[in-house]
Amino acid sequence: MTTHNRRYYIQILLVFVGIQVLFWFNTNDIRPRMTVVPNVPGEEAISVLSFGDKQALFRLMAFQLGNAGDSFGRSTALKKYDLNKVKLWFFLLDKLDRESNLLPSMAAYYFAQTQNKPDARHMVEYLYEHAKDRPEKKWWWLTQASYIALYKVGDSELALKIAGMLRDVEGIPLWARQLSAFVYEGRGEFDAALKIMETILENTDDIPQHELNFMQHFVEERINRLDSLSKKARKRLGIRGLQ
Amino acid sequence: MVTNILYILLTALRDRLFIVLICAVVFATLISGALAGTSLVESREMTLAFSAATSRLILVLGMTVFIAFHLRYAFDNREIEVMLSRPFSRPQLVFSYWLGFSLISLFMGSVAIVVIYIASPIDMLGFASWSISLIMELWFVSAIAIFTSLMLNSAVASVLTTLAIYLLSRMMGYFLNMLGMRSLFDEPWLNVVSHEIIEKLSIIVPRLDFFAKSEWLIYGISNPWQEIMLFSTQAVIYIPILILVAIVDFYNREF
């Protein structure tokens, strides 16, 4: 290449570099729109994207959801999350893996802590749907759902409906079975609370002594219904007669 | 045949394939562990799932690229013609290539298995099944890569075709699932045609979604013998098909 030709191409290059600089001035403020919670894809799209490895996709999507809104140096307040979308994401990802406790943990311990308390209802709905058909295995999430419904959302009816599912479930801690009694107590419905305790006392074998002591304390001192306790329940507590 | 196998191993050493893939697998697992550490709960499960999936992808990609470029190099440098000039039949050549690449796959797969073992799989039967199916999947991919490399004249085309077949094989189960679910198009005739195409395609496309499922490492394997029979049978049937097709196609090649 002769010197003349080389200079010619350098000049053209400089013109294009100048155009690029002008282009930059006009476009450097154009930024990608960062959503907080991404839109929920369809079930089929998710199935296809898994490439035969549903577990890996589940973990990847859950990881992305857990970090949603906090990527690229951002830190987003929970009140700005569309928790209805998060709930739909959870329903979708449950189709990939229903056994994992990752999503219920995120729902109960993270997203439900939103500053916008009514929004926590979406997390209650998810936890309920996730656990309702296997309470003996997922009872913990039902207790979480009931707690959030009562203390965050302020819906004691909903809390009661969820807690009531645990009353007759075998093999779970007694306090979980008694949960609806505590909700009734909070509502001032002591007779209903008594009924729960009576049912548990009458139909459960092998109640440890400390649990019996607690139930007696609850009936006697918290709801003041020892007089109304059934004979069978009193016998179970070892109470001989009224004093 | 043994000479060719040794030559393939030497080429892999020369290309630093082992070092690169081992480092990639280890690095991927470390990154998986770091990412999983940010998880609220179940970080061990997340590490396992990420590590297993990325290791599998790294090995599949690595073997595909190595095989495609190795064979392209062999064609360009007339090494294959030299080998065929000796008392070495075309089927023996193809088979020796597959054996050589399978040995490399076995070694690399074993490295990935050790790495996953260090990441502490939760269910050991699931881990054993995953390990065996990973090796078989790599043998499968080696066979696909040999077939495309012998058939096509470009290494890049071989790599892309192999990856396309691999992805299609991984997704075939879900395409079959979608057939039974709902119409894909608004036009009825398009639905009929697409159903027929997917159904007929599924006869010849292998089911790689039976292989190396990450959930086995975490939740175990629900029907052990059924799952093991599925991937073993698919491998035993289809790898010979690929090798035989490669041999038949190689017979048509003129030098």
Side-chain angles (χ1 to χ4, degrees):
Chain A
M1 199 185 279
T2 65
T3 312
H4 171 73
N5 282 344
R6 191 163 163 268
R7 209 178 290 146
Y8 173 68
Y9 283 107
I10 289 172
Q11 284 166 354
I12 297 175
L13 174 63
L14 287 172
V15 167
F16 274 96
V17 168
I19 293 169
Q20 171 57 30
V21 171
L22 280 173
F23 181 75
W24 176 83
F25 270 115
N26 286 296
T27 58
N28 80 91
D29 288 330
I30 300 172
R31 303 285 158 87
R33 202 171 138 266
M34 308 277 281
T35 54
V36 175
V37 182
N39 290 330
V40 187
E43 189 182 337
E44 283 135 358
I46 281 281
S47 296
V48 168
L49 282 174
S50 69
F51 297 114
D53 195 348
K54 287 198 284 188
Q55 183 61 212
L57 184 69
F58 167 76
R59 298 285 164 181
L60 181 64
M61 299 265 111
F63 174 79
Q64 286 182 337
L65 203 55
N67 288 293
D70 297 332
S71 53
F72 298 102
R74 293 178 300 164
S75 188
T76 307
L78 284 170
K79 62 184 175 188
K80 292 185 181 174
Y81 283 67
D82 182 345
L83 288 189
N84 183 49
K85 250 199 220 177
V86 172
K87 178 183 72 181
L88 295 175
W89 263 109
F90 284 163
F91 285 149
L92 180 68
L93 294 182
D94 259 4
K95 293 188 167 80
L96 294 176
D97 184 352
R98 280 193 78 221
E99 298 307 313
S100 173
N101 288 320
L102 179 57
L103 299 182
S105 300
M106 284 163 65
Y109 305 144
Y110 180 57
F111 289 109
Q113 307 313 311
T114 177
Q115 298 89 343
N116 187 8
K117 290 185 181 186
D119 258 0
R121 181 180 292 273
H122 296 295
M123 296 300 103
V124 174
E125 286 168 9
Y126 164 70
L127 289 168
Y128 172 71
E129 286 299 324
H130 177 80
K132 68 178 182 183
D133 52 359
R134 39 197 179 145
E136 66 292 339
K137 194 173 177 188
K138 296 279 184 171
W139 59 270
W140 176 260
W141 304 116
L142 289 173
T143 65
Q144 295 300 305
S146 184
Y147 176 87
I148 295 165
L150 187 61
Y151 292 108
K152 269 272 181 182
V153 183
D155 187 343
S156 59
E157 273 302 323
L158 180 60
L160 212 48
K161 175 190 165 193
I162 297 169
M165 295 178 67
L166 293 167
R167 196 186 63 195
D168 300 317
V169 178
E170 299 282 341
I172 68 173
L174 267 177
W175 65 261
R177 296 177 61 186
Q178 293 161 353
L179 200 57
S180 43
F182 306 141
V183 179
Y184 277 126
E185 181 202 7
R187 283 155 63 109
E189 294 172 35
F190 296 153
D191 294 326
L194 176 70
K195 223 59 227 111
I196 303 292
M197 290 299 185
E198 264 180 9
T199 308
I200 292 172
L201 279 167
E202 288 169 9
N203 298 310
T204 309
D205 302 323
D206 300 327
I207 300 179
Q209 187 57 46
H210 66 274
E211 292 284 0
L212 290 170
N213 293 344
F214 169 76
M215 290 167 90
Q216 184 174 344
H217 157 78
F218 181 83
V219 170
E220 191 172 358
E221 292 177 43
R222 276 168 64 165
I223 62 172
N224 197 22
R225 289 286 190 279
L226 191 61
D227 301 348
S228 313
L229 196 61
S230 70
K231 241 191 224 174
K232 194 176 174 188
R234 253 189 272 140
K235 190 180 172 190
R236 197 78 171 79
L237 286 174
I239 300 168
R240 291 189 184 276
L242 293 174
Q243 307 211 341
Chain B
M1 207 150 99
V2 173
T3 314
N4 195 28
I5 294 169
L6 285 172
Y7 176 63
I8 290 166
L9 294 175
L10 274 169
T11 315
L13 269 170
R14 181 198 68 195
D15 292 349
R16 293 179 176 76
L17 179 74
F18 298 116
I19 302 277
V20 167
L21 288 184
I22 290 171
C23 288
V25 166
V26 169
F27 192 61
T29 303
L30 290 173
I31 298 276
S32 302
L35 290 176
T38 65
S39 173
L40 204 59
V41 293
E42 297 185 356
S43 13
R44 185 177 164 196
E45 285 84 342
M46 202 172 263
T47 304
L48 281 168
F50 283 168
S51 177
T54 51
S55 300
R56 180 169 50 79
L57 279 171
I58 287 167
L59 292 178
V60 163
L61 270 170
M63 288 307 301
T64 302
V65 171
F66 173 69
I67 291 169
F69 280 88
H70 177 94
L71 284 172
R72 183 43 35 205
Y73 184 80
F75 274 111
D76 291 344
N77 286 348
R78 298 179 184 265
E79 283 170 16
I80 289 186
E81 289 175 47
V82 168
M83 280 192 267
L84 289 174
S85 68
R86 288 156 55 219
F88 198 35
S89 68
R90 292 185 187 214
Q92 278 178 315
L93 184 65
V94 173
F95 193 61
S96 68
Y97 270 126
W98 182 76
L99 270 179
F101 293 131
S102 296
L103 268 171
I104 295 173
S105 303
L106 179 63
F107 177 73
M108 293 314 311
S110 304
V111 170
I113 289 164
V114 167
V115 169
I116 296 294
Y117 181 75
I118 293 170
S120 310
I122 294 165
D123 186 273
M124 291 318 284
L125 177 60
F127 171 64
S129 307
W130 182 87
S131 305
I132 296 168
S133 69
L134 174 71
I135 303 290
M136 287 190 171
E137 183 170 347
L138 292 175
W139 288 349
F140 220 118
V141 169
S142 299
I144 298 172
I146 290 169
F147 162 62
T148 58
S149 300
L150 291 177
M151 194 175 66
L152 300 169
N153 290 328
S154 156
V156 172
S158 305
V159 168
L160 293 174
T161 309
T162 304
L163 292 177
I165 295 171
Y166 178 72
L167 287 175
L168 184 63
S169 305
R170 278 247 142 213
M171 290 159 64
M172 188 45 74
Y174 293 100
F175 286 140
L176 288 172
N177 220 21
M178 273 158 57
L179 278 185
M181 274 187 183
R182 62 177 182 86
S183 303
L184 300 169
F185 302 101
D186 292 333
E187 294 289 333
W189 70 268
L190 265 176
N191 284 318
V192 171
V193 168
S194 63
H195 276 224
E196 285 300 310
I197 289 173
I198 293 173
E199 216 168 37
K200 298 297 178 279
L201 204 60
S202 68
I203 297 171
I204 54 169
V205 174
R207 293 287 303 272
L208 281 181
D209 56 307
F210 291 157
F211 293 68
K213 296 182 184 179
S214 301
E215 68 199 47
W216 293 343
L217 296 167
I218 298 167
Y219 299 116
I221 187 166
S222 47
N223 293 310
W225 295 117
Q226 187 186 334
E227 299 269 12
I228 292 168
M229 281 305 294
L230 274 173
F231 68 73
S232 309
T233 310
Q234 178 70 105
V236 162
I237 292 171
Y238 216 87
I239 290 174
I241 287 177
L242 287 165
I243 295 172
L244 286 165
V245 169
I247 290 170
V248 167
D249 182 76
F250 197 44
Y251 264 120
N252 294 334
R253 198 143 186 162
E254 286 175 10
F255 294 96

